[in-house]
């Protein structure tokens, strides 16, 4: 049987897309391999969000292209967001690339695969989950694209306009996954709160999902603060099936910068949202994305980001130095912050957030946790990995368990970003 090797960069949407491509190839007889050298096909799923992400992807593609020379017949496909941004020019930049499929073509990926392998038989019967997946947690995209045009961000250009998935498709996908043993689903969208299809908005979608038998835990990402409504928070608080976690990227603490970024909320609106979430959902984990060194950001404005972070007490945050992306509004702003200054700000921010993360983990020791067991801890005998109802990783080494079980436990200590039972 032919084999396929995947290398996936970027966000969860890219992971979900790689899973879709994997499923479609499996239905045509491909098996997954973890050896790029021995595979008949290599699929590299790329990200464009920062220059470093593109550099990393290009480095990997060039490495695969070199390896291909000694492997007659091996094919190299580049898919995803960088494939969308650079298109067929990638074939000239990196000879050896056989096919480029941009993120906007994911809608017709089935046809693309059919065109490439017209002789292959398509297996319609089997459940997608029989193709070598034993996970208890999975992603379901509910909307794609983004209409927000944050000034720094390339995503609306490479992913296109917002499109919500019809409710019936979401429901049948979820039920299919539950039948295959999935206990927890993370609903995905670049801007998931703006889901709307046939009069069903995002809070309504979540309510309906919480009534599906067998779905034990529900997560979603990413929420935009401007669309995070009281109604959404009420739905989250209405059932224990909803994880007590929300990823709510703030990006910056100063209102002038938020406005230049086109984020459409103020720092005080954001702080009020956090208060509302914490009042309704005790022990909620709130996580964030923060960007430093946006053009014209002053040192004083950066300090406003630090004070927001001090007040917000995020469980964790992804923190980035601004990287200009061609074609975005911010790329034409002249007053760039120097690389050294951006890195110094990032280092200071990371040090502050790391300390807050450590404290939050320590404060969770001794508290009752509901942990979904996700799998074995490879290195340790009789140890299990899991996640609490928030977003914290938990290592359990006491009792017999199996993936998919939810255990009520108390952590005895914390180590870095893991709670230990
Ligand atoms: N849809 C999500 C995330 C998009 S990209 C959202 O709206 O929050 C993930 C994160 O990458 C962003 O939240 C932002 O913090 C960061 N990012 C986006 N563009 C960037 C750029 N040009 N330079 C540095 N970081 C960037
Ligand atoms: Fe990018 Fe903003 Fe859309 Fe998120 S909401 S994907 S940061 S444009
Ligand atoms: Fe990257 Fe595309 Fe996701 S640019 S962050 S992989 S939507």
């Amino acid at each position: 049987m032919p084999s396929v090797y995947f290398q996936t960069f970027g966000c969860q949407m890219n992971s979900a897309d790689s899973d879709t491509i994997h499923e479609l190839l499996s239905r045509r007889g491909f098996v997954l391999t973890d050896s790029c050298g021995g595979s008949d096909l290599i699929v590299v799923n790329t990200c464009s969000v920062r220059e470093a992400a593109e550099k990393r992807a290009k480095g990997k593609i060039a490495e695969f292209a070199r390896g291909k020379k000694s492997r007659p017949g091996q094919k190299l496909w580049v898919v995803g967001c960088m494939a969308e941004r650079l298109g067929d020019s990638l074939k000239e930049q990196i000879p050896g690339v056989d096919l480029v499929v941009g993120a906007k073509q994911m809608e017709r990926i089935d046809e693309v695969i059919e065109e490439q392998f017209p002789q292959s038989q398509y297996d319609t019967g089997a459940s997608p989950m029989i193709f070598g997946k034993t996970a208890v947690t999975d992603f379901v995209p509910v909307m794609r694209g983004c209409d927000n045009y944050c000034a720094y961000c390339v995503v609306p250009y490479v992913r296109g306009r917002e499109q919500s998935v019809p409710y019936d498709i979401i429901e049948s996908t979820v039920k299919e996954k539950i039948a295959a043993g999935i206990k927890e689903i993370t609903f995905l969208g670049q801007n998931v709160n703006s889901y709307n299809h046939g009069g069903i908005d995002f809070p309504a979608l979540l309510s309906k999902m919480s009534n599906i038998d067998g779905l034990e835990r529900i997560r979603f990402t990413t929420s935009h603060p401007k669309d995070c409504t009281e109604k959404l928070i009420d739905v989250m608080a209405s059932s224990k099936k909803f994880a007590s976690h929300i990823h709510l990227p703030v990006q910056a603490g100063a209102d002038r910068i938020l406005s230049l970024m086109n984020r459409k909320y103020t720092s005080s609106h954001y702080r009020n949202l956090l208060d509302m979430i914490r009042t309704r959902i005790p022990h909620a984990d709130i996580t964030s994305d923060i960007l430093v060194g946006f053009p014209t950001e002053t040192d004083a404005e950066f300090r406003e980001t630090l004070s927001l972070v001090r007040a917000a007490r995020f469980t964790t945050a992804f923190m980035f130095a601004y990287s200009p992306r061609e074609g975005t509004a911010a790329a034409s702003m002249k007053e760039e912050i120097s690389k050294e200054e951006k890195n110094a700000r990032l280092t200071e921010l990371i040090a502050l957030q790391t300390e807050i993360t450590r404290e939050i983990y320590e404060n969770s020791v001794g508290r009752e946790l509901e942990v979904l067991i996700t799998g074995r801890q490879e290195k340790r005998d009789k140890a299990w990995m899991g996640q609490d109802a928030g977003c914290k990783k938990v290592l359990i080494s006491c009792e017999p368990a199996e993936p998919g079980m939810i255990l009520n436990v108390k952590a005895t200590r914390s180590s870095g970003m893991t709670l230990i039972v």
Side-chain angles (χ1 to χ4, degrees):
M1 281 207 251
S3 60
V4 55
Y5 175 84
F6 280 89
Q7 174 87 52
T8 302
F9 295 97
C11 62
Q12 290 108 322
M13 194 60 87
N14 265 15
S15 302
D17 285 348
S18 285
D19 286 348
T20 302
I21 298 171
H22 170 205
E23 182 197 327
L24 293 169
L25 287 168
S26 298
R27 287 183 184 279
R28 289 189 160 79
F30 276 78
V31 291
L32 189 67
T33 169
D34 52 12
S35 139
C36 59
S39 72
D40 299 288
L41 170 63
I42 297 178
V43 178
V44 188
N45 197 351
T46 57
C47 173
S48 264
V49 80
R50 282 166 292 276
E51 198 186 342
E54 287 202 351
K55 269 200 186 132
R56 220 173 305 132
K58 281 185 188 166
K60 211 64 204 176
I61 298 163
E63 187 187 314
F64 292 139
R66 280 193 301 276
K68 237 184 103 186
K69 289 183 190 150
S70 56
R71 295 170 201 137
Q74 190 182 48
K75 297 274 182 238
L76 176 56
W77 293 3
V78 182
V79 304
C81 295
M82 187 180 77
E84 180 67 44
R85 203 177 81 77
L86 301 177
D88 277 343
S89 73
L90 270 170
K91 287 188 184 166
E92 286 141 41
Q93 281 183 41
I94 313 175
V97 172
D98 296 290
L99 183 72
V100 178
V101 188
K104 287 181 193 163
Q105 286 195 65
M106 264 311 288
E107 276 174 28
R108 54 174 294 271
I109 189 70
D110 203 8
E111 287 166 49
V112 173
I113 294 173
E114 167 86 54
E115 281 158 24
Q116 296 299 313
F117 303 110
Q119 309 297 342
S120 60
Q121 293 281 325
Y122 187 87
D123 174 357
T124 51
S127 151
M129 288 304 150
I130 67 164
F131 301 117
K133 265 195 142 185
T134 53
V136 297
T137 165
D138 207 354
F139 300 123
V140 173
V142 296
M143 57 86 64
R144 293 173 178 279
C146 181
D147 291 348
N148 283 327
Y149 292 93
C150 299
Y152 49 81
C153 185
V154 77
V155 170
Y157 303 91
V158 291
R159 287 268 170 185
R161 305 302 303 262
E162 284 180 6
Q163 268 185 310
S164 295
V165 178
Y167 175 77
D168 294 351
I169 295 180
I170 298 172
E171 189 188 274
S172 58
T173 309
V174 167
K175 287 186 171 164
E176 199 173 53
K177 287 185 190 287
I178 292 168
I182 296 291
K183 305 283 181 208
E184 173 187 88
I185 286 189
T186 303
F187 294 104
L188 293 183
Q190 288 307 332
N191 194 22
V192 75
N193 304 358
S194 65
Y195 175 87
N196 201 315
H197 198 280
I200 300 175
D201 65 5
F202 192 56
L205 174 73
L206 289 180
S207 280
K208 283 169 168 284
M209 290 297 131
S210 68
N211 292 323
I212 294 182
D213 283 343
L215 181 54
E216 308 270 349
R217 198 178 265 178
I218 302 171
R219 299 178 180 274
F220 54 88
T221 197
T222 295
S223 294
H224 193 300
K226 80 172 163 56
D227 303 313
C228 179
T229 58
E230 195 166 356
K231 191 172 156 199
L232 175 71
I233 297 166
D234 282 343
V235 169
M236 280 180 78
S238 70
S239 163
K240 277 189 69 184
K241 285 193 174 185
F242 293 108
S244 50
H245 171 216
I246 186 162
H247 184 62
L248 200 60
V250 66
Q251 311 298 356
D255 287 344
R256 190 186 71 90
I257 297 296
L258 287 171
S259 165
L260 283 177
M261 286 177 165
N262 194 27
R263 290 291 288 181
K264 303 194 179 81
Y265 54 85
T266 60
S267 152
S268 69
H269 173 82
Y270 187 85
R271 287 178 195 227
N272 290 340
L273 270 179
L274 299 192
D275 288 345
M276 202 197 295
I277 295 166
R278 291 201 162 114
T279 310
R280 304 256 211 306
I281 307 165
H283 304 297
D285 279 318
I286 301 172
T287 56
S288 205
D289 293 351
I290 307 161
L291 207 160
V292 301
F294 187 81
T296 76
E297 181 189 68
T298 64
D299 186 62
E301 285 166 333
F302 166 62
R303 309 251 143 236
E304 287 187 57
T305 298
L306 293 179
S307 51
L308 184 136
V309 166
R310 248 178 240 115
R313 297 197 64 79
F314 298 126
T315 304
T316 55
F318 297 110
M319 294 162 278
F320 310 103
Y322 168 75
S323 151
R325 308 310 292 134
E326 201 185 323
T328 60
S332 55
M333 292 176 67
K334 288 283 169 299
E335 282 176 66
E336 265 235 49
I337 310 297
S338 73
K339 210 172 174 181
E340 293 70 29
E341 183 58 35
K342 279 193 274 196
N343 287 339
R345 288 179 192 178
L346 185 60
T347 306
E348 193 174 347
L349 175 65
I350 290 174
L352 170 63
Q353 180 56 50
T354 305
E355 184 54 25
I356 295 169
T357 297
R358 195 186 58 75
E359 285 170 13
I360 290 180
Y361 269 79
E362 268 173 15
N363 291 343
S364 304
V365 170
R367 186 157 58 77
E368 183 105 342
L369 306 170
E370 276 188 29
V371 178
L372 174 69
I373 304 293
T374 49
R376 274 217 174 272
Q377 223 276 0
E378 301 255 311
K379 284 179 233 136
R380 292 172 53 180
D381 199 23
K382 294 199 203 112
W384 298 92
M385 290 302 299
Q387 196 172 29
D388 77 344
C391 70
K392 298 185 200 75
K393 294 246 170 336
V394 184
L395 182 65
I396 302 181
S397 52
C398 49
E399 46 192 308
E402 62 179 274
M405 280 173 72
I406 293 183
L407 301 180
N408 288 305
V409 293
K410 283 183 185 165
T412 53
R413 65 191 172 93
S414 84
S415 149
M417 282 168 65
T418 308
L419 288 169
I420 298 170
V421 175

